[in-house]
Each structure stands twice: as structure tokens, then as C-alpha cells.
């Protein structure tokens, strides 16, 4: 009995014909679904910022500063030429604001202090000149098209030029006390770059243009009209370098 079992065991055959070949002269490297850290070295220039900032129907000047964009990006290739991408990221904006006629604004505020006897004064000193700290969570998603320059199966290596474009949406959060509502943010972005893959690791880099916009109002207006207390920010960022290092999920 034991000798029969041994004889059968000797005839067991494992069919591995469906396993991927280690080398091939006909196959090409196939781009894979991947995800990893993303950094965009964004710098918002004053010349590319449009805005409207008003409190109690008085116009203000503002200036904007920001940090880089930090997050994660993922790619979903459908074939050698076309795929989808998504980016989830964090952005900080610092907004310095001040009334265009500070002397007159402070005098008007002092008059309100007397009129309201210091209680529930509609315009406070901090409303005339100050700084907003805004934290923004962004989601970008769209498509990319590319031209593989090298797609070597044997060395599991690929280089690819690509163009990408998509929409941006997000939510803003004021860190400091603000009478403005926290608005949603909208925009779009498009980029060009080079993608290099080796086995399961992919490095992408290039330049990106983007447009972002939001419009918000006082939660409790102090002006006769809603537009008397508003904050609208509309800005572009051109030729911003970015880099994404990702790992294939399977």
C-alpha cells in the first residue's frame, strides 16, 4: 500500500504555465495601480490673486502666503496610454487683511464702541486689521494620457511622458476666531511630467498649473446686504514643480 502511494506521488505534476514569465521578447512592462506621497512646491504670487474682502461695506487690502501642498496621490492605469489619478492633500493659506483707510476705520470703530456701550459692537478692532490662518483639505481627480518611451518587460522598467488634468474640490477651515463661514473650495489643475517605473516603484515629477476659488460671507451679517461682509479669493498658480513616489498595490 505504501509503495503504491509513493508511486502515485512520484507522478504528481504542477502546471505553472499560467505564471508570469521571467523574460519575454514580446511582452512590455505594464503600468500598475499605485499610491504614495505627493508634494507640490506651490508658491502663490500676488500678481495671480484676485479677491474681494469687505466688512460692513468697507473695502480691504489683503496679502496671501502659503505652504507647499502635501498629500498622497494614486494612479489607476487603464492601458499604456490612458488612466485616472487622484490626489488628497493639505494646504495652508495665511491671509493678512486691513482696511484701506485705517485711520478712518479706527475712528468709526471707536464711535461704535460708544454707541453700543462696549457690548456686542458690530465691528471690533480685530476686524479692521489682522490675519486669518486657513487650513484647506483638497481632493483632486482626473485623467492622464501618456506616451511610453521605454517599456522593458525583462528589466521591469518604464519611462513615460504624460499630461494630466482634472477638477479640484475641498473645504477650508479657519484656525483663528472668524465671523466668516468656512467655505467650500473649487478649481481645476493640469500638468505635464515624466514617470519612471522600476518593478513596483514609480517616481513621477513635472510642473502643474492650478486655479482655486472660494467665496464666503459673515455667519451673522452686520451690513444691510449680504455682500457687505464678504471674502472672495480667486488665484492661479503657474508652473509649480511636483513629485510623487508611489508603490504598486498589486
Amino acid at each position: 500500500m505504501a509503495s503504491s502511494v509513493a508511486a502515485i506521488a512520484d507522478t504528481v505534476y504542477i502546471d505553472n504555465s499560467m505564471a508570469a514569465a521571467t523574460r519575454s521578447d514580446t511582452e512590455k512592462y505594464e503600468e500598475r495601480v499605485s499610491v504614495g506621497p505627493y508634494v507640490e512646491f506651490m508658491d502663490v504670487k500676488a500678481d495671480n490673486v484676485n479677491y474681494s474682502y469687505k466688512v460692513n461695506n468697507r473695502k480691504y487690502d489683503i496679502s496671501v502666503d502659503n505652504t507647499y501642498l502635501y498629500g498622497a496621490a494614486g494612479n489607476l492605469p487603464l492601458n499604456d496610454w490612458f488612466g485616472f489619478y487622484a490626489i488628497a492633500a493639505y494646504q495652508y493659506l495665511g491671509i493678512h487683511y486691513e482696511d484701506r483707510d485705517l485711520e478712518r476705520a479706527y475712528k468709526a470703530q471707536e464711535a461704535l464702541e460708544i454707541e453700543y456701550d462696549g457690548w456686542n459692537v458690530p465691528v471690533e478692532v480685530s476686524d479692521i486689521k489682522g490675519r486669518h490662518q486657513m487650513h484647506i483639505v483638497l481632493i483632486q481627480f482626473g485623467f492622464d494620457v501618456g506616451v511610453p518611451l521605454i517599456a522593458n518587460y525583462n528589466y521591469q522598467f518604464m519611462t513615460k511622458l504624460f499630461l494630466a488634468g482634472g477638477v479640484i474640490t475641498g473645504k477650508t477651515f479657519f484656525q483663528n476666531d472668524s465671523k466668516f463661514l468656512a467655505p467650500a473650495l473649487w478649481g481645476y489643475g493640469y500638468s505635464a511630467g515624466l514617470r519612471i517605473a522600476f518593478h513596483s516603484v514609480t517616481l513621477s515629477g513635472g510642473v502643474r498649473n492650478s486655479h482655486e476659488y472660494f467665496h464666503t460671507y459673515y455667519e451673522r451679517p452686520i451690513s444691510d446686504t449680504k455682500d457687505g461682509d464678504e471674502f472672495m479669493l480667486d488665484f492661479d498658480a503657474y508652473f509649480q514643480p511636483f513629485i510623487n513616489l508611489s508603490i504598486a498595490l498589486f
Side-chain angles (χ1 to χ4, degrees), residues 203-221:
L203 179 65
S204 301
V207 293
R208 181 176 178 83
N209 297 336
S210 60
H211 175 85
E212 296 178 23
Y213 165 89
F214 68 78
H215 200 164
T216 186
Y217 305 91
Y218 265 18
E219 184 175 7
R220 297 179 180 178

Side-chain angles (χ1 to χ4, degrees), residues 30-160:
E30 292 186 2
E31 198 171 355
R32 309 168 193 178
V33 178
S34 60
V35 66
Y38 173 91
V39 180
E40 185 174 326
F41 304 96
M42 179 181 285
D43 183 18
V44 179
K45 303 293 186 182
D47 292 343
N48 300 324
V49 176
N50 295 313
Y51 67 90
S52 176
Y53 193 110
K54 291 188 289 185
V55 174
N56 202 22
N57 277 309
R58 294 182 61 84
K59 293 185 177 181
Y60 282 58
D61 290 323
I62 72 168
S63 60
V64 181
D65 57 86
N66 66 285
T67 61
Y68 296 152
L69 208 65
Y70 301 100
N75 293 294
L76 174 62
L78 298 183
N79 52 45
D80 292 342
W81 309 91
F82 185 84
F84 296 99
Y85 77 90
I87 301 170
Y90 164 81
Q91 181 178 36
Y92 166 87
L93 291 182
I95 312 292
H96 175 81
Y97 60 90
E98 64 177 60
D99 191 292
R100 292 181 180 177
D101 188 344
L102 285 176
E103 184 177 353
R104 186 176 177 183
Y106 283 128
K107 287 181 178 179
Q109 197 276 333
E110 289 174 3
L112 287 173
E113 290 277 359
I114 296 171
E115 179 183 349
Y116 283 81
D117 197 24
W119 295 92
N120 300 319
V121 182
V123 180
E124 301 173 17
V125 173
S126 60
D127 295 326
I128 297 173
K129 181 179 179 179
R131 179 179 172 83
H132 292 303
Q133 298 186 64
M134 302 184 67
H135 302 279
I136 302 176
V137 177
L138 294 173
I139 297 176
Q140 308 176 35
F141 54 92
F143 65 91
D144 68 54
V145 293
V147 179
L149 304 178
I150 301 173
N152 190 289
Y153 182 89
N154 294 335
Y155 293 98
Q156 287 292 287
F157 178 77
M158 180 202 72
T159 62
K160 180 180 184 179

Side-chain angles (χ1 to χ4, degrees), residues 13 24 26 34 49 63 67 73 81 147 165 168 171 184 226 231 245:
Y13 174 70
S24 173
T26 58
S34 60
V49 176
S63 60
T67 61
W81 309 91
V147 179
I168 298 172
K171 182 69 175 177
K226 181 181 179 181
F231 180 16
L245 178 66

Side-chain angles (χ1 to χ4, degrees), residues 19 36 49 108 170 183 200 233 247:
V49 176
S200 61
L233 188 65
I247 303 296

